[in-house]
Amino acid sequence: MLLDGVGKAAALFPAAFLAHGRFLWLKGHGHKALALSAVPLLAGCDGALSTLAPSGPAARDIAMLWWAMLIGSGLITALVLGLLTAAVRNNGARRSERGWIWGWGLGFTGAVLVVLLGFSLWIGERMLARGDDALRVGAHAAQWEWRFTQPGPDGLPVQTVDTLYIPAGESFDVEITAQDVIHSFWVPQLGGKMDAIPGHQNLHRLRADTPGIYEGLCAEFCGIGHSFMRFTVVAYDPTGPIPDMSADLIPETRP
């Protein structure tokens, strides 16, 4: 069957073979195809650590970039599958290699990647901290806790453990440092990750649009206690009183 037609190139997969193969594939993998079709529905899932449930401008930009990359990769995947289908159905006919390689293989794919690169650079520039009068708080990582410095009820700076208090609806900069090893500050619903490096200070611009409690964690494996490096960001209404911090205050910094 595969040597049919001496003197000319045979089809890579003859029609009879393809028809039989499709039947066997549907019979043996139909349930997998059904499960795969449900994958897009999973994009609706959200949660405290979901990057697709943004609650701030930086997180929205990251989510938008994620969707753009998904669309771009989908287009390239569709192209590859289309080329594979064309090769299978070619039946030995000669086609212009220049058009396929330069036009689709390089031109189309390169255009998609250039657009995605430019979009990601634009998104990244929008998330940089600015030299303005935004509130500045501190996040100091150590094995195995986070110590935060922020204004207290009387306006004076206080330190808390594993809980950061910030006003909602206002941009704030986090000065991120570390005591021992490299950690990573990440609040998925408010923005991206930023490393905490010993002897170095990184500045991270974030904002919570509405009052609420946002989960954060260390996104860099930092030792056997890495799973304990979780924290909470409490965004309070700036027009009301600052929440009671007494349960989270470090004793030596209590007023």
Side-chain angles (χ1 to χ4, degrees):
M1 179 174 61
L2 294 176
L3 297 178
D4 181 36
V6 177
K8 66 177 182 179
L12 182 59
F13 297 105
F17 179 78
L18 286 174
H20 182 62
R22 281 195 295 268
F23 173 76
L24 291 178
W25 187 90
L26 290 175
K27 183 178 180 181
H29 302 279
H31 63 286
K32 295 180 181 179
L34 182 62
L36 185 62
S37 65
V39 170
L41 299 178
L42 298 178
C45 298
D46 58 8
L49 298 176
S50 174
T51 58
L52 299 182
S55 297
R60 278 195 299 273
D61 286 344
I62 292 173
M64 183 167 55
L65 178 60
W66 187 92
W67 285 110
M69 293 178 67
L70 178 65
I71 293 172
S73 61
L75 291 174
I76 294 177
T77 301
L79 170 64
V80 172
L81 294 177
L83 292 177
L84 180 61
T85 302
V88 169
R89 296 179 178 273
N90 193 34
N91 291 324
R94 297 287 297 177
R95 297 178 182 268
S96 171
E97 297 178 357
R98 181 179 298 273
W100 290 109
I101 295 176
W102 291 99
W104 291 103
L106 296 178
F108 177 79
T109 305
V112 171
L113 294 178
V114 167
V115 170
L116 288 178
L117 176 61
F119 186 59
S120 63
L121 292 176
W122 178 70
I123 289 293
E125 195 276 336
R126 283 162 51 92
M127 292 188 291
L128 294 177
R130 309 295 180 182
D132 51 22
D133 57 352
L135 172 67
R136 183 163 293 196
V137 299
H140 185 70
Q143 297 171 320
W144 314 100
E145 66 180 15
W146 290 88
R147 291 194 172 200
F148 296 105
T149 304
Q150 66 267 291
D154 56 0
L156 297 176
V158 295
Q159 284 191 344
T160 54
V161 177
D162 294 335
T163 304
L164 172 63
Y165 294 86
I166 52 96
E170 300 179 9
S171 297
F172 63 96
D173 292 333
V174 187
E175 296 178 349
I176 304 172
T177 56
Q179 176 176 314
D180 32 49
V181 298
I182 295 178
H183 302 272
S184 184
F185 179 93
W186 188 29
V187 187
Q189 290 186 299
L190 298 186
K193 307 170 186 176
M194 183 69 74
D195 282 346
I197 304 172
H200 180 77
Q201 182 187 93
N202 281 328
L203 202 59
H204 199 24
R205 170 66 60 94
L206 297 174
R207 190 181 81 189
D209 288 335
T210 57
I213 298 177
Y214 303 95
E215 298 296 325
L217 71 161
C218 174
E220 180 80 23
F221 181 71
C222 51
I224 58 175
H226 170 70
S227 60
F228 299 107
M229 295 287 292
R230 288 177 173 263
F231 60 91
T232 302
V233 177
V234 177
Y236 57 86
D237 185 354
T239 62
I242 295 180
D244 182 17
M245 302 180 180
S246 57
D248 303 307
L249 286 175
I250 298 175
E252 59 266 26
T253 65
R254 293 178 186 270

